[in-house]
């Protein structure tokens, strides 16, 4: 086999790190947002029902498209769909941060859910392919534990950032890049 036709296989440990980091985005997003909802509500002047859609706009596409995301990974390549999903998630996180109105925020949150639906199943599928036997079980356990730990710690980190008077309103990707009016006085 010539050097040009050889394919380079990633180290299983680096695959684990990449999959844990990518999937943690979704796990963190799911838990940190609840801490920031009061600030988001005040920022947009939204009612309780409108603010609930900030959560639902993310969760509905995520849960509806999760199986499709895995099937697309099987068909077009898991790594490719993980990268696409992570990229969609990152770009839409920026759109959430810059959203000037609630409808723009809701649209960006829905697109974020689509990105998460692509990255989550493919991160787990990549682990399944990278490890064998007992090591596979250990890798999946690390993936799940890291996601749970990220989701548990996220409100502490995000909440501290979003409610301190010195910082901008923020939750991981649903941050608002405006200073609190009370801080500028």
């Amino acid at each position: 086999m010539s050097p040009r036709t050889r394919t380079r296989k990633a180290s299983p440990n680096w695959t684990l790190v990449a999959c844990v980091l990518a999937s943690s985005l979704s796990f963190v997003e799911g838990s940190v947002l609840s801490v920031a909802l009061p600030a988001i509500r005040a920022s947009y002047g939204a009612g309780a029902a409108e603010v609930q859609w900030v959560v639902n706009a993310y969760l509905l596409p995520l849960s509806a498209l999760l199986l499709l995301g895995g099937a697309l990974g099987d068909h077009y390549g898991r790594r490719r769909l993980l990268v696409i999903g992570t990229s969609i998630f990152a770009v839409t996180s920026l759109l959430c941060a810059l959203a000037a109105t609630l409808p723009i925020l809701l649209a960006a949150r829905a697109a974020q859910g689509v990105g998460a639906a692509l990255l989550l199943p493919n991160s787990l599928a990549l682990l399944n392919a990278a490890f064998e036997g007992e090591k596979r079980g250990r890798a999946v356990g690390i993936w799940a534990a890291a996601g749970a730990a990220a989701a548990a710690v996220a409100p502490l980190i995000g909440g501290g950032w979003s409610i301190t008077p010195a910082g901008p309103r923020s939750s991981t990707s649903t941050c608002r890049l405006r200073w609190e009016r009370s801080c500028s006085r």
Side-chain angles (χ1 to χ4, degrees):
M1 180 181 277
S2 74
R4 285 188 159 181
T5 58
R6 259 188 249 163
T7 58
R8 203 173 77 200
K9 188 171 180 167
S11 164
N13 293 332
W14 285 113
T15 301
L16 176 61
V17 169
C19 290
V20 163
L21 291 175
S23 62
S24 290
L25 292 172
S26 179
F27 296 138
V28 165
E29 181 59 33
S31 65
V32 76
L33 184 69
S34 61
V35 174
L37 285 177
I40 292 170
R41 183 177 181 182
S43 176
Y44 291 106
E50 293 169 316
V51 132
Q52 183 59 43
W53 275 105
V54 175
V55 176
N56 292 343
Y58 173 76
L59 292 177
L60 287 172
L62 170 61
S63 55
L65 300 174
L66 201 58
L67 293 176
L68 179 61
L72 289 172
D74 291 343
H75 191 265
Y76 294 107
R78 295 174 185 118
R79 182 177 174 203
R80 175 180 292 158
L81 268 289
L82 176 69
V83 170
I84 290 170
T86 305
S87 299
I88 290 171
F89 195 93
V91 168
T92 55
S93 294
L94 181 60
L95 292 175
C96 287
L98 300 174
T101 65
L102 188 61
I104 293 171
L105 176 64
L106 295 176
R109 292 280 296 157
Q112 223 177 16
V114 172
L118 295 175
L119 74 88
L120 273 174
N122 289 296
S123 67
L124 188 56
L126 282 170
L127 287 182
N128 189 38
F131 293 91
E132 293 181 10
E134 188 177 309
K135 289 182 179 182
R136 178 181 295 152
R138 189 175 305 126
V140 170
I142 291 169
W143 179 84
V153 172
L156 300 173
I157 296 168
W161 179 249
S162 67
I163 55 180
T164 55
R169 277 184 225 150
S170 167
S171 87
T172 310
S173 57
T174 317
C175 66
R176 301 286 302 145
L177 298 176
R178 297 190 281 193
W179 292 97
E180 293 284 347
R181 288 188 177 146
S182 62
C183 298
S184 61
R185 292 182 186 155

